[in-house]
Amino acid sequence: SQQGEEDPQALSIQEGENATMNCSYKTSINNLQWYRQNSGRGLVHLILIRSNEREKHSGRLRVTLDTSKKSSSLLITASRAADTASYFCATDGGSGGSNYKLTFGKGTLLTVNP
Amino acid sequence: KAGVTQTPRYLIKTRGQQVTLSCSPISGHRSVSWYQQTPGQGLQFLFEYFSETQRNKGNFPGRFSGRQFSNSRSEMNVSTLELGDSALYLCASSPSIRGYTEAFFGQGTRLTVV
């Protein structure tokens, strides 16, 4: 079963705009990660945020985590056409589970129009 | 450092046949995981191997099996193929350092069952 649920399912913006994607999950976690996938290819790791962190930055990416609401958001600033891809959040098993069994949401398809 | 290599990239099989997919992890990574991606079910965890032992298993029938060799390379096998097994199969490797759960994915094997 899916642990994470991304919202929205699809997002279309213009180059230069910011894109925000949300993820909700159901059980406790150690970490939450975001991945990008270009057109049915492999996943690329973007950023990992630990359960005791609230916000993390990496280049144009900003991730927030609210463990009380079991939710996370990914913000991509100043988007580029090359950011067009599907974005997935992934959670691990938490204190009772395995760090190496990731549960993915269904993803957000981001389209950045030039 | 070379990335995760999956072979073959594309495969067409007939219902009832069996198939073996291969994954070579990043050098030094000892954990290898397999995921199935379909439009309907999204990304689902199949199993994870560490030091030639299956450490975690997803909710898939016994037709799906895998193994890991002493050099950390892994194979997964699907017997008695069904149409519903058509999917992108992704392999991921991880350093398996405690608390470090970032996974590095290969480009995947696209399996089509006809």
Side-chain angles (χ1 to χ4, degrees):
Chain A
S1 64
Q2 297 294 326
Q3 160 82 307
E5 292 288 338
E6 283 91 344
D7 166 47
Q9 291 188 355
L11 181 61
S12 181
I13 59 174
Q14 296 299 123
E15 230 175 2
E17 293 180 339
N18 295 342
T20 299
M21 289 159 269
N22 303 298
C23 166
S24 60
Y25 57 93
K26 298 175 183 175
T27 64
S28 65
I29 62 171
N30 291 319
N31 309 299
L32 184 143
Q33 305 178 54
W34 285 90
Y35 288 83
R36 183 187 75 214
Q37 184 179 40
N38 288 84
S39 189
R41 297 171 68 88
L43 279 76
V44 175
H45 182 267
L46 295 175
I47 195 166
L48 178 152
I49 186 166
R50 300 191 187 281
S51 59
N52 61 354
E53 297 176 311
R54 292 297 166 258
E55 187 172 313
K56 199 162 184 180
H57 296 255
S58 176
R60 294 185 295 114
L61 306 179
R62 172 179 171 256
V63 169
T64 62
L65 178 65
D66 186 335
T67 52
S68 66
K69 295 181 179 178
K70 291 187 170 59
S71 67
S72 173
S73 68
L74 170 68
L75 168 67
I76 304 175
T77 61
S79 63
R80 306 165 182 167
D83 294 330
T84 295
S86 291
Y87 292 81
F88 296 88
C89 68
T91 53
D92 61 17
S95 59
S98 166
N99 285 337
Y100 307 104
K101 176 183 177 180
L102 296 178
T103 304
F104 287 85
K106 288 192 177 289
T108 293
L109 175 59
L110 173 66
T111 302
V112 182
N113 302 298
Chain B
K1 194 182 256 190
V4 177
T5 303
Q6 291 188 246
T7 56
R9 290 291 310 280
Y10 301 92
L11 207 48
I12 300 175
K13 288 286 188 179
T14 303
R15 196 169 42 179
Q17 287 186 315
Q18 75 164 14
V19 66
T20 300
L21 312 181
S22 179
C23 172
S24 293
I26 291 172
S27 178
H29 286 193
R30 296 167 65 190
S31 169
V32 175
S33 302
W34 290 88
Y35 293 83
Q36 180 197 65
Q37 185 177 28
T38 60
Q41 298 299 317
L43 280 152
Q44 293 190 292
F45 174 80
L46 280 156
F47 26 66
E48 185 242 349
Y49 287 87
F50 178 80
S51 291
E52 303 178 65
T53 301
Q54 187 180 87
R55 194 161 58 173
N56 292 284
K57 189 177 189 306
N59 188 25
F60 277 81
R63 299 185 298 106
F64 291 81
S65 63
R67 59 178 174 168
Q68 186 180 35
F69 302 94
S70 58
N71 61 359
S72 292
R73 189 178 72 85
S74 177
E75 290 181 348
M76 67 163 282
N77 183 278
V78 187
S79 61
T80 319
L81 284 165
E82 301 177 359
L83 296 179
D85 298 332
S86 295
L88 180 66
Y89 289 88
L90 293 162
C91 165
S93 75
S94 174
S96 191
I97 299 169
R98 186 176 177 80
Y100 181 72
T101 62
E102 176 183 346
F104 297 83
F105 282 82
Q107 292 300 300
T109 294
R110 172 78 61 186
L111 172 65
T112 302
V113 182
V114 297

